[in-house]
Amino acid sequence: MKLTAYCGALFLLGCLSVQAQVQDEQINQSLSLREQWIHLTRDLMFEPEWAAEGHQFHYKLSVEGGFQFFRDSVQKAKPELAFDHQRISRALNQATGQSFSALQLPFDRFSYSENDQSIEFYYDSKNWSCQLDGTLCKAMERQGQPKAFGVVRDLRIEAYNPLRSSPDGAYTAQIVAHNLVIKHKDGRIQYQSKDGSAVDFYDAQSIQWAPDSSALLVMKVKPGTARMVTRVLSSPLDQLEPKTLTQLYPKPGDAVDIDQPVLVQLDAGKAQRIDNQLFSQPYTLDQVQWQADSQSFTFRYTERGHQLVRVIEVDAKTAQPKALLTERSQSFIDQWGAFYQTLSGPEKGFVWLSERDGWAHLYRYDNKGQLINQITQGNWRVRDVMHLDEKTQQLWFAASGMEPEQDPYFIHYYRINFDGTGLTALTTANATHQVSFSADRQYYIDLYSRVDLPNVAELRRSSDGQLIRTLAKADISRLTQAGFKAPEVFVAKGRDGKTDIWGLIVKPQQFKPEQKYPVIENIYAGPHDSFVPKSFWPFGFHSGGDKVIGMQALADLGFVVVQIDGMGTKNRSKAFHDVAWKNLADSGFPDRILWHKAAAKQFPWYNMAAGVGIYGASAGGQSTVAALLFHPEVYTTGVAYAGCYDNRMDKISWNEQWMGYPVGPHYAASSVTEHAELLQGNLLLINGEQDSNVDPASTMQLVNALIKADKDFDLLLVPGGEHAVGRSVGPIRYVQRRQFDFFQRHLKQQSSDSNKSQL
């Protein structure tokens, strides 16, 4: 009996060892999927760029072995290489110490500069310039004093402070020892302030001359809270001992810079502080602009709390301010999607975007702040404004939800008259569109796709939308032969029983409908956008895990992976969006759970018996933990990356926009750290040691709370890792392997056990 038991144990260990090897091979194959598939498309165009003048354009295109950039024009119709890719590759490799091949350059867009002798692009959080002869690539230094999250100047960095010449050339202005000095061209001092100091200084970057040189506007600044986040770099590359790094990082409730407009009238030789009664509690003052006749200047005022915004005009003679427009909201005014533009024509006035009727629409006002008319209207939303043409009195814009038979998130482009008449669709195909116009707007390129429709790029004439020629039509035959299948779109009703909730389902390549598959949700519920992919490109841009390819790699391990846009996310109605107001813990879960249940009811293979897995990063990390805390009856296994687990610990800009000001009990109510004792299920926390987007202490505070609550969890800290650790930079393969293995060991095993118990 003992020998039999011993042999049985050895046999079991052997089986477990073989099973582990098989799982490791499956994970390694999934981790390699992006590299295996990414170069299998042909003629797939990315967003084109038009020249600043004329009718030339360039674009990135998939070719044999990778990607190349091409240059073309409306007249020539003969694409040629945009530059020598080998030269750029060698120069960039030398500058970065990386190894990029000529067909795998690490950027998707560029612009020509220096009379087409150089190109400029964005890579690794920096702007780069490369000379086309290949002699030099360099990161471009930023001029000026940066503002941390747009609200607190970093006073450790010297402000950009050149001489500012008046339009007529008669005067120059500059900041000297915190004070404003205006000199005549003959050297005489025309005006000099004496009240500037380190804690109440004149800002060099804000100086604006009136067009007729009669006056000057400058901001006098009282600095906000200089909150510094200190991080320890445990494993620096240049020394054995760790280093400390500091970052200016204002958080919700911190004091922001107070900008006080000051008007200097040259003839009178005096300065006047503008009465701030109309803008006494600023979050920001921006879009400062002189009128063309120099009679006044305007600016936009956003009050702290994001529930009141004003357009304010200041008379240049009397220095008296008045509110041309006041917008209020019981929830938030979405400044991440705002639009405001002054008109310089005879009627002057401005165009304003508002959600006052429940949808994001455009309104036209005269120069006295009186509403002339609503330009756009209906149960759909304006997504972006491309151009205002005052000569033709026309406006060009992007919108979604106008086409009743299409996905309400699909973006289409339109033209409309200022008076709201003449609405003309520039795009019609049942897809999401990305339109770019030539500098004179005579032509446009319409790049459209769906998750199941590869990119099509068409050159069209703006006057009548006439197709001139098809520039590119993607061929994915090789990708399809390799096993790619488009995600399945699924729609279910939300918490109100009426609103459609849209999502995607990704199945394993070897999907068998008679089998049951555990479900994993890829979540991001941030209110600043919607996130379910609508366009074809499944790989993301130089990213490993967030797009369809990351979900496919995970699905191939034997899961069904889904992504859903619940209420609280953007790009639908104002009411849909408002669900997030002061309640980020909601994360749309009531809608998501109903969506899961509807899918399980419709598809026999959609197996929720062992609960749903969930993973996400940043706000998605916060939502992942919230799922396990607040909805453990549905969500049982989660992997959370770089989460902002308590909104009081995160950046001021994102959190005050959606959680409001002042900081109150609702912040604690949405905090998963405050509710750590509710944790059920399996949780893996992953964080980068050098996260500059979300204070990494937020993760460690959650860890502390979980330990105090005697809760078991897994933790992976990546030395030197940034906010996107495991997704776009750093040890991607290792981190993703840990995520995949976690779901294999917990959710898949639970699902297997659940299936056995039902037999």
Side-chain angles (χ1 to χ4, degrees):
M1 290 291 292
K2 291 183 178 179
L3 180 60
T4 303
Y6 178 70
C7 290
L10 288 178
F11 177 76
L12 178 60
L13 288 173
C15 288
L16 291 174
S17 177
V18 171
Q19 183 180 10
Q21 290 178 9
V22 171
Q23 288 182 350
D24 287 345
E25 290 177 7
Q26 290 175 335
I27 289 176
N28 285 329
Q29 186 173 353
S30 285
L31 291 172
S32 301
L33 191 62
R34 186 175 193 270
E35 288 70 27
Q36 294 169 6
W37 280 8
I38 192 170
H39 301 306
L40 296 183
T41 67
R42 297 293 177 271
D43 299 323
L44 190 148
M45 183 190 287
F46 295 83
E47 184 180 2
E49 296 272 339
W50 288 87
E53 297 179 351
H55 298 148
Q56 295 78 38
F57 53 88
H58 60 268
Y59 51 84
K60 184 178 181 179
L61 196 72
S62 63
V63 298
E64 186 75 33
F67 305 91
Q68 286 184 309
F69 291 89
F70 292 87
R71 195 174 190 177
D72 201 352
S73 70
V74 173
Q75 292 79 14
K76 279 188 176 182
K78 291 183 179 180
E80 58 186 28
L81 287 177
F83 50 79
D84 187 321
H85 290 61
Q86 290 285 357
R87 287 181 176 177
I88 296 298
S89 172
R90 286 194 295 266
L92 188 59
N93 290 344
Q94 184 175 1
T96 63
Q98 302 294 318
S99 180
F100 302 111
S101 73
L103 295 181
Q104 297 180 34
L105 295 172
F107 53 92
D108 300 295
R109 301 172 60 181
F110 76 88
S111 59
Y112 288 105
S113 59
E114 298 179 353
N115 294 321
D116 290 1
Q117 298 305 302
S118 298
I119 60 171
E120 295 179 1
F121 54 88
Y122 189 75
Y123 160 66
D124 192 24
S125 302
K126 302 183 186 72
N127 292 311
W128 289 78
S129 174
C130 289
Q131 295 180 9
L132 293 186
D133 61 8
T135 57
L136 179 65
C137 273
K138 63 179 181 179
M140 301 168 65
E141 294 184 4
R142 295 180 180 177
Q143 287 188 333
Q145 193 172 64
K147 284 186 179 181
F149 302 117
V151 293
V152 178
R153 292 166 176 81
D154 193 339
L155 301 182
R156 298 172 300 175
I157 299 173
E158 187 175 352
Y160 182 58
N161 188 21
L163 286 172
R164 308 273 184 164
S165 296
S166 60
D168 63 5
Y171 302 96
T172 60
Q174 193 173 32
I175 304 302
V176 179
H178 308 301
N179 278 290
L180 174 68
V181 178
I182 301 176
K183 291 184 178 180
H184 193 272
K185 62 183 178 182
D186 63 10
R188 290 181 293 108
I189 293 178
Q190 182 73 14
Y191 172 81
Q192 182 173 6
S193 69
K194 297 181 180 179
D195 58 341
S197 68
V199 295
D200 193 12
F201 58 86
Y202 290 88
D203 179 32
Q205 293 171 219
S206 70
I207 294 173
Q208 286 195 38
W209 284 97
D212 66 359
S213 303
S214 64
L216 175 150
L217 170 66
V218 65
M219 294 293 175
K220 197 159 185 273
V221 181
K222 291 186 177 180
T225 301
R227 179 190 294 277
M228 296 293 172
V229 166
T230 300
R231 302 189 299 271
V232 175
L233 180 60
S234 65
S235 309
L237 298 177
D238 58 347
Q239 67 183 49
L240 177 63
E241 292 298 318
K243 297 179 178 179
T244 57
L245 303 173
T246 58
Q247 176 188 358
L248 181 62
Y249 194 103
K251 296 184 178 183
D254 286 350
V256 301
D257 287 357
I258 302 297
D259 289 5
Q260 168 63 54
V262 176
L263 177 67
V264 181
Q265 297 162 326
L266 270 293
D267 289 344
K270 66 176 183 178
Q272 298 185 67
R273 294 167 63 96
I274 308 304
D275 182 2
N276 73 345
Q277 192 170 8
L278 290 171
F279 50 96
S280 61
Q281 301 178 61
Y283 180 76
T284 55
L285 301 182
D286 59 13
Q287 293 195 235
V288 183
Q289 184 176 348
W290 280 95
Q291 295 298 315
D293 60 9
S294 299
Q295 296 301 303
S296 65
F297 63 87
T298 59
F299 59 88
R300 182 177 62 177
Y301 160 67
T302 299
E303 188 169 272
R304 196 79 184 264
H306 294 83
Q307 292 182 284
L308 183 149
V309 180
R310 284 194 172 108
V311 174
I312 294 175
E313 181 182 55
V314 179
D315 187 288
K317 299 299 183 184
T318 66
Q320 292 301 306
K322 67 178 179 179
L324 295 179
L325 177 145
T326 298
E327 184 93 16
R328 300 178 189 270
S329 174
Q330 293 300 310
S331 58
F332 54 78
I333 297 173
D334 178 12
Q335 289 302 91
W336 291 54
F339 179 81
Y340 159 59
Q341 184 169 324
T342 59
L343 301 174
S344 59
E347 296 183 9
K348 296 185 180 180
F350 56 92
V351 173
W352 179 261
L353 185 143
S354 170
E355 294 185 275
R356 66 188 62 164
D357 71 354
W359 298 86
H361 283 300
L362 298 166
Y363 298 78
R364 181 171 61 141
Y365 288 82
D366 66 17
N367 61 354
K368 296 183 178 355
Q370 297 298 311
L371 177 65
I372 300 174
N373 63 276
Q374 183 172 348
I375 301 173
T376 63
Q377 54 188 308
N379 292 343
W380 48 271
R381 66 178 293 116
V382 171
R383 296 283 290 268
D384 195 11
V385 177
M386 316 305 295
H387 180 69
L388 295 176
D389 191 328
E390 296 189 51
K391 183 177 181 181
T392 63
Q393 295 283 286
Q394 289 182 325
L395 185 148
W396 310 58
F397 68 99
S400 59
M402 198 188 302
E403 312 303 323
E405 302 303 318
Q406 297 187 22
D407 184 325
Y409 293 94
F410 282 173
I411 298 173
H412 283 272
Y413 288 75
Y414 305 88
R415 183 175 60 239
I416 194 170
N417 297 326
F418 280 4
D419 64 5
T421 64
L423 178 65
T424 303
L426 301 175
T427 57
T428 57
N430 183 7
T432 195
H433 295 254
Q434 193 174 41
V435 165
S436 54
F437 294 93
S438 62
D440 59 9
R441 291 171 307 287
Q442 290 188 29
Y443 303 96
Y444 64 92
I445 297 172
D446 179 13
L447 179 64
Y448 63 88
S449 70
R450 298 188 305 265
V451 292
D452 61 346
L453 174 67
N455 300 17
V456 178
E458 297 175 340
L459 176 64
R460 293 182 176 270
R461 190 167 55 219
S462 297
S463 59
D464 57 6
Q466 180 66 40
L467 176 65
I468 297 174
R469 68 178 184 272
T470 299
L471 299 174
K473 190 172 184 179
D475 178 357
I476 64 166
S477 57
R478 294 190 193 184
L479 186 61
T480 302
Q481 291 168 10
F484 172 79
K485 294 181 179 65
E488 180 176 344
V489 176
F490 184 71
V491 183
K493 296 301 180 184
R495 69 187 76 183
D496 60 3
K498 299 181 295 183
T499 304
D500 285 338
I501 304 297
W502 289 69
L504 288 180
I505 300 175
V506 178
K507 304 173 186 175
Q509 292 183 63
Q510 306 302 323
F511 176 76
K512 298 177 181 179
E514 68 276 9
Q515 290 188 6
K516 290 184 177 293
Y517 294 89
V519 179
I520 299 174
E521 180 180 345
N522 172 14
I523 190 170
Y524 194 96
H528 62 276
D529 208 344
S530 52
F531 306 98
V532 174
K534 300 298 174 182
S535 57
F536 174 74
W537 185 240
F539 300 99
F541 297 97
H542 307 297
S543 173
D546 279 342
K547 301 299 180 182
V548 171
I549 190 65
M551 293 189 280
Q552 185 67 65
L554 184 54
D556 286 349
L557 298 177
F559 302 102
V560 164
V561 185
V562 306
Q563 191 169 3
I564 310 162
D565 278 323
M567 291 187 183
T569 53
K570 196 173 173 179
N571 297 325
R572 299 285 288 279
S573 68
K574 173 66 171 166
F576 190 103
H577 201 186
D578 275 351
V579 169
W581 174 236
K582 293 187 176 182
N583 186 25
L584 291 180
D586 180 277
S587 294
F589 281 123
D591 313 299
R592 297 169 187 276
I593 292 169
L594 288 171
W595 191 96
H596 283 297
K597 290 180 177 179
K601 184 177 181 180
Q602 181 167 332
F603 306 118
W605 39 263
Y606 200 97
N607 183 17
M608 295 174 59
V612 175
I614 187 168
Y615 71 96
S618 196
Q622 179 182 14
S623 296
T624 295
V625 178
L628 300 183
L629 268 59
F630 305 132
H631 305 280
E633 74 285 356
V634 175
Y635 297 96
T636 59
T637 302
V639 179
Y641 288 85
C644 41
Y645 301 115
D646 189 315
N647 299 103
R648 295 168 294 187
M649 285 291 293
D650 192 24
K651 68 195 77 65
I652 189 174
S653 53
W654 195 86
N655 292 275
E656 283 198 11
Q657 169 66 82
W658 316 117
M659 293 293 286
Y661 173 86
V663 174
H666 58 286
Y667 273 81
S670 284
S671 166
V672 296
T673 303
E674 293 279 352
H675 300 89
E677 76 280 357
L678 299 178
L679 177 67
Q680 296 184 44
N682 309 292
L683 172 63
L684 169 60
L685 299 172
I686 301 175
N687 206 64
E689 175 190 70
Q690 295 303 311
D691 191 336
S692 60
N693 187 294
V694 175
D695 185 348
S698 184
T699 294
M700 298 313 296
Q701 288 182 358
L702 175 59
V703 166
N704 185 44
L706 290 169
I707 291 172
K708 287 182 176 180
D710 198 26
K711 296 293 182 178
D712 292 337
F713 62 95
D714 286 54
L715 173 66
L716 172 59
L717 293 177
V718 180
E722 248 286 2
H723 186 61
V725 63
R727 291 176 289 129
S728 63
V729 294
I732 298 173
R733 191 179 183 93
Y734 176 82
V735 174
Q736 286 190 332
R737 179 176 66 77
R738 291 291 301 274
Q739 174 191 327
F740 288 5
D741 176 69
F742 194 78
F743 283 124
Q744 284 272 55
R745 287 189 292 110
H746 294 286
L747 185 63
K748 197 169 185 181
Q749 184 60 47
Q750 288 177 1
S751 180
S752 177
D753 293 344
S754 177
N755 289 337
K756 289 177 183 178
S757 68
Q758 294 176 13
L759 294 177

